Amino acid sequence: MTTYTLAGLSRYPRFPLLHETTPIERLARLEQHLGPALNGVQLYVKRDDHMRVGGGGNKLRKLEFLLGQALADGADTVITVGGLQSNHARLTAAAAALAGLQCELVLTRQVPRGDADYEHSGNVLLDELFGARVHALPGSVHGLSWANERAATLRAQGHKVAVLPTGGSTPLGSLGYAVCAQEIAQQSQQMGLTLSQVIVPNGSAGTHAGLSAGFAALGLNASLVRSHAVLAEAAVSRQRTWELAQQALALLGSEASIALEEIDVDGAQRGAGYGMPTAAMLDAVRLLARTQGLLLDPVYSGKAFAGMLADVAAGRYAPGQAILFVMTGGAPGLYAYREAFATPSL
């Protein structure tokens, strides 16, 4: 039996947020529902929504490293940026509360909506419950620049501030998903499972990058990962993912390399843009909820799951192949999309 271990991880401080390996489960009821249309493909899900802090989600893996470094540097305040309904912002607020750090969120209106559900429900409600100071700004504002200016003000007042970019998708943050790749390799071996594909959404690129870097460093194939772009167009997401993956490999001290051609990003599910609902996303969210009792989110995992279903329907996978969807959390965002789910389709 192969031992899958990323030795390079041990040199980086971590603030524990996961507590345990997230489970891999078979989507048996969904398989039964799809029947012959599934063409014998096996569907599995890794429950990265199944975490104990802040409602769960993939950003916690990144925050283990980002907050670990912030605490090691003596920070007393963390500032991060994102869209108004950012999952990363919500989880940064929750993790900062657990770590005893002050948290400020710089949230820009990236989605053209101003209704009460979007402005005050979902993640925005939770940000405030977790004690974060929220700066809600127009979409024309460059969030990271504004955050750096705010950090300078706080530093002048004597604070030690860590600024985290969108999604926590830095090379260091991406190591959180190198850890996930290690978990998947270990779990699939224990289950006697050979995976043909690992599927994720691609927003700020850190999740895909970390997985590809982790698999490459373990001697596996970086192209095992396929992502569905939900923020930038596919070509931009692919380039950003590749750059982050190489930087994460360097942090791991790995001699492995990843070619741009190994970064598989599909842009067919993006729709009109970030945070904009699609009919396929709405159908995918309803389908998984009604067959498995599991909640996808409307911005990231809903579109990626729709992409996976489209790939299966198009015959991308052969009968008997097993594919793994990484559930990246974000369910609180559903409440901000109440109106979209109130109608059968767009």
Side-chain angles (χ1 to χ4, degrees), residues 319-341:
Q321 285 191 316
I323 58 179
L324 176 69
F325 184 81
V326 181
M327 281 193 69
T328 51
L334 287 168
Y335 301 107
Y337 284 77
R338 179 178 59 88
E339 288 190 7
F341 284 96

Side-chain angles (χ1 to χ4, degrees), residues 26-346:
R26 189 161 182 177
L27 297 176
R29 281 277 295 119
L30 177 59
E31 291 180 355
Q32 182 182 13
H33 174 83
L34 293 174
L38 193 56
N39 195 31
V41 175
Q42 300 173 28
L43 303 179
Y44 291 84
V45 63
K46 183 158 174 64
R47 297 289 308 280
D48 269 17
D49 61 322
H50 191 270
M51 299 177 185
R52 298 176 183 176
V53 177
N58 63 326
K59 312 303 183 183
L60 289 176
R61 289 191 182 273
K62 303 174 187 181
L63 286 164
E64 283 202 322
F65 287 89
L66 295 171
L67 291 191
Q69 188 61 56
L71 291 167
D73 292 340
D76 57 45
T77 304
V78 62
I79 303 176
T80 197
V81 300
L84 194 64
Q85 284 289 339
S86 167
N87 296 310
H88 167 68
R90 179 245 310 168
L91 287 172
T92 300
L98 184 62
L101 296 170
Q102 296 298 311
C103 179
E104 298 198 11
L105 306 176
V106 180
L107 307 181
T108 55
R109 291 178 169 85
Q110 299 175 18
V111 177
R113 287 180 55 187
D115 55 281
D117 285 342
Y118 198 78
E119 290 277 327
H120 303 293
S121 186
N123 286 311
V124 177
L125 171 64
L126 298 182
D127 294 339
E128 295 173 355
L129 285 177
F130 291 132
R133 180 173 180 178
V134 176
H135 305 278
L137 305 173
S140 58
V141 173
H142 188 274
L144 190 56
S145 296
W146 200 99
N148 283 324
E149 291 175 7
R150 174 63 181 162
T153 298
L154 291 173
R155 288 175 183 133
Q157 297 171 1
H159 292 280
K160 293 186 177 180
V161 185
V163 178
L164 311 181
T166 300
S169 291
T170 66
L172 183 64
S174 296
L175 294 184
Y177 265 84
V179 174
C180 186
Q182 178 179 271
E183 286 183 16
I184 291 170
Q186 293 169 343
Q187 288 173 291
S188 56
Q189 180 173 253
Q190 292 163 2
M191 297 169 70
L193 184 63
T194 300
L195 295 172
S196 297
Q197 198 92 87
V198 176
I199 299 152
V200 294
N202 192 319
S204 54
T207 299
H208 185 161
L211 284 169
S212 287
F215 286 133
L218 291 168
L220 302 173
N221 197 336
S223 63
L224 181 64
V225 188
R226 176 171 169 82
S227 67
H228 295 272
V230 302
L231 179 59
E233 293 182 356
V236 175
S237 295
R238 182 179 298 111
Q239 182 70 27
R240 173 62 174 154
T241 302
W242 179 54
E243 291 169 357
L244 265 180
Q246 293 182 103
Q247 292 165 341
L249 274 175
L251 290 183
L252 289 169
S254 173
E255 296 182 358
S257 63
I258 300 173
L260 178 61
E261 293 73 25
E262 294 181 274
I263 301 299
D264 182 4
V265 182
D266 180 80
Q269 300 299 319
R270 182 169 169 266
Y274 176 77
M276 300 300 291
T278 64
M281 176 278 289
L282 294 170
D283 288 345
V285 172
R286 290 188 181 104
L287 178 62
L288 193 62
R290 294 172 184 179
T291 57
Q292 297 284 160
L294 298 179
L295 295 175
L296 299 166
D297 84 287
V299 178
Y300 295 90
S301 59
K303 289 184 176 181
F305 202 83
M308 182 192 76
L309 293 174
D311 283 344
V312 169
R316 180 180 177 86
Y317 306 107
Q321 285 191 316
I323 58 179
L324 176 69
F325 184 81
V326 181
M327 281 193 69
T328 51
L334 287 168
Y335 301 107
Y337 284 77
R338 179 178 59 88
E339 288 190 7
F341 284 96
T343 54
S345 62
L346 294 179

Side-chain angles (χ1 to χ4, degrees), residues 3 12 262:
T3 300
Y12 301 104
E262 294 181 274

